[in-house]
Amino acid sequence: MSKPSPVGTVMIAAARAAGRSLARDFGEVENLQVSRKGPADFVSNADHRAEEIIYTSLMKARPGYGFVMEERGIVEGTDKSNRFIVDPLDGTLNFLHGQPHYAVSIGLERDGQLLTGVVFDVAKNEIFWAETGRGAWLEQRKLRVAARKKLNEATIATGTPWHGKPEEAHTQFAREMLAMTPACAGIRRYGSAALDLAWVAAGRFDGFWEHGLKPWDIAAGIVIVREAGGMVEELSGADNVMKTGSILAGNEDIVAAVREQLRHAGAFGRQAKV
């Protein structure tokens, strides 16, 4: 069994602490004060409390590191090599509707390379973590991506464009579903990209694709998938998935098969509009 590094241990502790706060708020979700940032993009008191817990914990442990946070934005640190990439509540819409599928996601980037990832499934009390060269783990169990090679035997996760996205995004997604649905065993849309990626690493999903995600949605999950033996690539073949947020993940065979199906749907070259 591998043990996390000191910084990995700090990240896990911060995720658990934020998760405890979220769990308390989830029990009173109907009483949360919620404001709208934009179409179908909500922010609640729960987000802010969880983010403050993470920020305070990590600042105390690594005072020079920078941050990229969903609510707080970019916080420059004195240490320009290291920064945490934080989503205090991935799956906010699920959370606000009382659906127990949401997560805390914390990634660590060093000199532009993703190094460590922690995803905490609060409702199931599952900590997924990975560090470069140390493997990917669910608590004390080592993770490995599923070995299925045939798309018609695979369950693939995705995310749908939400209310407020341009009509072209919804039309394109419909094309992708027409290409993917008959080709694989099943499509799932659970509403948390961080958990989708963690579940790919755990072999619960065989693959995952989505357009236009934010760095805090995917940073931790990318590390976990890669350390579980999986592939992560930018959906159109561009250099940096963290910049475009258009992601495809799974084992080598499934990634190739999904890529081919999405090519039939005209998925590539459109992500900037999606």
Side-chain angles (χ1 to χ4, degrees), residues 61-93:
R62 295 293 187 275
Y65 286 19
F67 290 82
V68 179
M69 311 185 86
E70 182 176 14
E71 308 302 341
R72 194 181 295 258
I74 296 175
V75 179
E76 296 289 349
T78 56
D79 181 343
K80 302 303 181 183
S81 293
N82 293 284
R83 64 178 185 172
F84 294 110
I85 304 174
V86 178
D87 191 342
L89 175 52
D90 187 58
T92 305
L93 199 57

Side-chain angles (χ1 to χ4, degrees), residues 6 33 43 66-67 82 95 100 136 160 168 192-194 200 227 229:
Q33 297 177 12
V43 58
F67 290 82
N82 293 284
F95 183 90
T160 59
E168 181 182 348
S192 168
V200 169
E227 285 297 303

Side-chain angles (χ1 to χ4, degrees), residues 141-154:
R141 179 170 67 86
K142 192 167 187 179
L143 299 180
R144 192 73 184 172
V145 294
R148 295 179 188 88
K149 296 185 177 184
K150 296 180 179 179
L151 193 55
N152 63 7
E153 298 175 353

